[in-house]
């Protein structure tokens, strides 16, 4: 099987893998899926993701289709490097192989400008017209005209707060803090029209390529707030050269006043997702983000 054949007959890939007709090398691929590098007969490689057998159940309906739709939508903007979808089937996803490289300040600044251009490509509404997932969890992508603050509370904070409380990941104290953030959501300011965002842009979902570009992978793409991508990017220590990424972004499309104070609010979404997925390990991180968000909005309210 060569790349041309694979593009023409993507449905044959599972059979070739089952019968070991393609060289398959396991690679790191995140916390959810099993990942591998597939080397084809013509020397081309693709990156393949499959739902792991250890989970004991099939992939949720639409799981890989959602990621493929998001990748294509981000790629359509022609702004930032996004791998091409080669195969999208219910049981697997295969993308162009991106050869990893070393982070550089120049690539970081370019990425900042490209990310701003991606966001500026916009979206028709908040949400998306495909089923949403973030990690292995469903994400409500119901199209919504906004305003952003009400949409964010309803579709991005409340569902994962409820999951985290129901699973015992958050206690009464932490839940109460998040509920206060939701009650104050209209006071944070910064509402903007929907941007075209990655939606799960923690540092592990940016790939530094040997071509000296930064590639976006593993999206939960939708129409959202551009500050969400930047806030998520700063989580867990941030990527190399974060300051240069932000400088490039600001050069292309300056952020609204108060964006730094709103970062904990935007980060709260992904932290609640993590507490829903991984339990009490993220309890303190959720509480800290909620405290910081409330502190920032109360200070701004008093100053105003």
């Amino acid at each position: 099987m060569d790349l041309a054949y694979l593009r023409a007959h993507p449905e044959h890939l599972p059979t070739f893998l089952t019968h070991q007709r393609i060289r398959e090398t396991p690679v790191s691929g995140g916390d959810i899926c099993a990942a591998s590098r597939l080397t084809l007969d013509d020397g081309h490689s693709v990156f393949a993701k499959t739902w792991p057998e250890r989970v004991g159940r099939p992939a949720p309906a639409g799981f890989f289709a959602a990621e493929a739709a998001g990748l294509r939508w981000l790629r359509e903007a022609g702004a930032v490097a996004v791998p091409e979808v080669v195969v999208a089937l219910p049981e697997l996803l295969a993308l162009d192989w991106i050869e990893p490289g070393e982070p550089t300040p120049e690539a970081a600044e370019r990425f900042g400008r490209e990310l701003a251009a991606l966001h500026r490509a916009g979206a028709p509404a908040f949400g998306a017209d495909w089923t949403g997932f973030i990690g292995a969890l469903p994400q409500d992508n119901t199209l919504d005209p906004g305003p952003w603050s009400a949409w964010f509370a309803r579709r991005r904070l409340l569902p994962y707060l409820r999951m985290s409380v129901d699973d015992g990941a958050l206690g009464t104290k932490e839940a109460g803090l998040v509920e206060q953030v939701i009650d104050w959501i209209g006071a944070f300011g910064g509402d903007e029209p929907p941007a075209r965002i990655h939606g799960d842009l923690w540092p592990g979902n940016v790939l530094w390529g040997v071509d000296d570009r930064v590639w976006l992978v593993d999206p939960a793409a939708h129409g959202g707030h551009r500050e969400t991508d930047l806030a998520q990017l700063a989580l867990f220590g941030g990527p190399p050269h974060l300051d240069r990424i932000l400088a490039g972004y600001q050069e292309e499309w300056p952020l609204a006043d108060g964006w730094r104070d709103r970062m904990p609010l935007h980060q709260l979404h992904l932290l609640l997702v993590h507490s829903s997925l991984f339990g009490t390990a993220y309890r303190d991180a959720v509480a800290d983000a909620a405290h910081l968000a409330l502190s920032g909005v109360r200070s701004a309210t008093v100053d105003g």
Side-chain angles (χ1 to χ4, degrees):
M1 176 181 279
D2 59 21
L3 186 59
Y5 183 91
L6 181 58
R7 290 184 188 281
H9 305 282
E11 71 280 2
H12 292 176
L13 181 56
T15 301
F16 276 73
L17 288 173
T18 299
H19 295 286
Q20 299 182 335
R21 298 277 301 277
I22 297 176
R23 191 170 76 191
E24 185 175 7
T25 307
V27 296
S28 59
D31 299 313
I32 305 299
C33 291
S36 58
R37 179 177 184 171
L38 308 182
T39 304
L40 308 178
D41 291 341
D42 59 1
H44 283 97
S45 292
V46 297
F47 174 82
K49 298 173 67 171
T50 57
W51 188 258
E53 294 181 3
R54 60 179 165 77
V55 175
R57 55 183 173 82
F63 179 78
F64 289 116
E67 182 172 344
L71 286 165
R72 289 170 175 144
W73 187 61
L74 297 177
R75 188 177 167 90
E76 282 171 6
V80 67
V82 180
E84 182 180 357
V85 176
V86 179
V87 177
L89 298 173
E91 67 271 32
L92 66 83
L93 183 69
L95 314 173
D96 276 342
W97 176 261
I98 307 302
E99 192 64 32
E102 294 298 320
T104 67
E106 295 76 17
E109 283 194 16
R110 178 178 179 178
F111 173 57
R113 293 191 297 271
E114 291 176 339
L115 185 62
L118 172 71
H119 291 162
R120 263 191 145 146
F126 296 103
D129 59 3
W130 54 82
T131 300
F133 288 91
I134 186 161
L137 297 178
Q139 181 159 268
D140 187 352
N141 271 352
T142 303
L143 291 171
D144 191 317
W148 169 79
S149 52
W151 168 84
F152 191 70
R154 182 169 58 250
R155 310 285 188 193
R156 295 297 181 261
L157 296 182
L158 272 172
Y160 304 105
L161 172 61
R162 290 169 179 154
M163 286 185 204
S164 296
V165 170
D166 290 347
D167 293 343
L170 297 181
T172 303
K173 176 183 175 182
E174 297 81 22
L177 286 169
V178 178
E179 287 167 351
Q180 288 181 57
V181 172
I182 292 170
D183 289 342
W184 279 79
I185 197 76
F188 282 88
D191 275 38
E192 292 186 359
R196 186 172 305 214
I197 72 169
H198 178 284
D200 189 11
L201 198 59
W202 69 285
N205 284 343
V206 296
L207 176 61
W208 301 80
V210 73
D211 57 356
D212 209 28
R213 295 193 73 185
V214 179
W215 294 73
L216 296 184
V217 296
D218 294 343
H222 62 276
H225 200 303
R226 60 189 180 124
E227 291 175 5
T228 299
D229 269 355
L230 295 171
Q232 291 176 348
L233 197 61
L235 281 169
F236 314 129
H241 311 300
L242 177 60
D243 58 334
R244 303 291 287 270
I245 294 172
L246 292 174
Y249 192 102
Q250 291 276 47
E251 179 184 319
E252 181 70 22
W253 190 14
L255 292 156
D257 290 345
W259 69 272
R260 289 189 184 275
D261 292 335
R262 288 188 292 271
M263 288 183 74
L265 168 65
H266 290 276
Q267 291 171 342
L268 196 52
H269 167 229
L270 197 55
L271 292 171
L272 285 168
V273 169
H274 276 68
S275 68
S276 300
L277 283 168
F278 306 116
T280 56
Y282 285 90
R283 179 176 287 184
D284 289 345
V286 168
D288 290 345
H291 268 303
L292 285 170
L294 290 167
S295 176
V297 73
R298 286 169 178 161
S299 296
T301 302
V302 170
D303 292 342

